[in-house]
Amino acid sequence: MNFKIVLYVVLGLLALFLTPLIFQIILWLFLAAFSLFYNPKKHYDRPSAFSYGLLKLGYRLICSMGRVRIHFKGRELLPENQRFLFVSNHRSKFDNMIQALALKKEKLAFVSKIENFKIPIARRFIARNCYFPLERGNGRCAVKMLLESVRLIRENIASVGIFPEGTRSKDTKLLPVHPGCFKIAEKAKCPIVVGVIRETEKIHKNWPWKKTDVYFEIVKVYTPEEAAGKSTIEIAGEVENIMKKSLEV
């Protein structure tokens, strides 16, 4: 029998007979053990279905512990059977986890700040799933990120997610959208999916006493043909305006 099927059956049986707390502890131990098989310093060409499933399991556990309820709209706008560049506003450390869970049918590799590649357990899983460490102010690193992102999309390995503000907004106001990230879509000739996320900045304030409802929505999709007629500066300006209007609703 397939190892993954056996594993899922065992975990399902444990979930039936153990208390939620004990089961969560076992899952964390399970993830910690499996993370040792992944080298955080190694460059992986593509994520495996199993490693990506483990990454999403970790995200589900974190969101469950954070008492997060996800409300997602706009799935019908997503391109079918096509990799894309995904961009969104950024308010919380939970943003990419929530978005990866909402877009569970798509395989997303995020561009992430280099500090996240120092987090125990997490650094091994994000490295194995082709997340790219971006060091701010490092031009050579930015070029490598561009080339790797284009490769993942062109070779139909994964879609790429990036926060075009460059950092988290501290007061929920949208920061300027940088045009450089849209070079990925320009070079890969892929759609650009624009999302907005709300209320994630409240998660740490509400925890542990209250649940937090967070709202994630796909608000615009640029086809490759639509994007091709515009400069990255024009697209950045449009995306910034679309995000602002969507966040004001």
Side-chain angles (χ1 to χ4, degrees), residues 132-152:
F132 193 91
L134 186 62
E135 187 177 356
R136 294 187 185 96
N138 187 327
R140 183 177 297 179
C141 183
V143 171
K144 286 183 179 179
M145 178 275 291
L146 171 64
L147 295 175
E148 179 63 9
S149 298
V150 170
R151 183 188 71 83
L152 289 173

Side-chain angles (χ1 to χ4, degrees), residues 32-210:
F34 261 93
S35 73
L36 298 177
F37 291 97
Y38 305 141
N39 184 350
K41 296 181 180 180
K42 180 180 176 180
H43 173 74
Y44 291 92
D45 289 333
R46 60 183 61 236
S48 68
F50 185 60
S51 66
Y52 195 69
L54 292 179
L55 178 68
K56 288 192 294 183
L57 173 60
Y59 286 168
R60 287 191 191 95
L61 284 172
I62 292 171
C63 288
S64 174
M65 291 171 64
R67 308 196 69 191
V68 176
R69 287 188 296 211
I70 302 171
H71 304 269
F72 177 41
K73 290 173 59 179
R75 173 175 290 281
E76 68 280 1
L77 298 177
L78 291 171
E80 292 186 10
N81 304 316
Q82 195 173 10
R83 301 299 182 186
F84 51 82
L85 173 68
F86 170 72
V87 297
S88 169
N89 64 311
H90 193 20
R91 294 184 171 185
S92 163
K93 293 179 179 179
F94 280 83
D95 291 346
N96 83 290
M97 292 185 276
I98 289 165
Q99 290 162 344
L101 290 175
L103 301 174
K104 58 187 176 182
K105 294 183 180 180
E106 287 70 31
K107 192 170 287 183
L108 269 176
F110 276 88
V111 176
S112 184
K113 64 182 181 179
I114 199 166
E115 289 82 2
N116 289 337
F117 287 77
K118 299 176 182 177
I119 301 172
I121 302 178
R123 65 189 184 126
R124 295 177 179 271
F125 282 112
I126 61 177
R128 179 63 186 86
N129 286 284
C130 298
Y131 280 43
F132 193 91
L134 186 62
E135 187 177 356
R136 294 187 185 96
N138 187 327
R140 183 177 297 179
C141 183
V143 171
K144 286 183 179 179
M145 178 275 291
L146 171 64
L147 295 175
E148 179 63 9
S149 298
V150 170
R151 183 188 71 83
L152 289 173
I153 294 170
R154 277 186 177 174
E155 296 181 11
N156 196 29
I157 294 170
S159 296
V160 173
I162 192 168
F163 297 112
E165 295 166 279
T167 188
R168 279 182 289 145
S169 172
K170 300 297 190 292
D171 58 6
T172 74
K173 291 181 181 178
L174 188 70
L175 301 174
V177 170
H178 301 296
C181 66
F182 297 102
K183 283 286 183 185
I184 296 170
E186 182 180 82
K187 299 292 185 184
K189 295 180 173 57
C190 69
I192 301 170
V193 174
V194 183
V196 292
I197 195 162
R198 306 177 182 85
E199 310 299 326
T200 52
E201 73 282 355
K202 295 180 180 179
I203 296 171
H204 74 281
K205 298 175 184 177
N206 291 341
W207 189 85
W209 312 115
K210 291 172 59 178

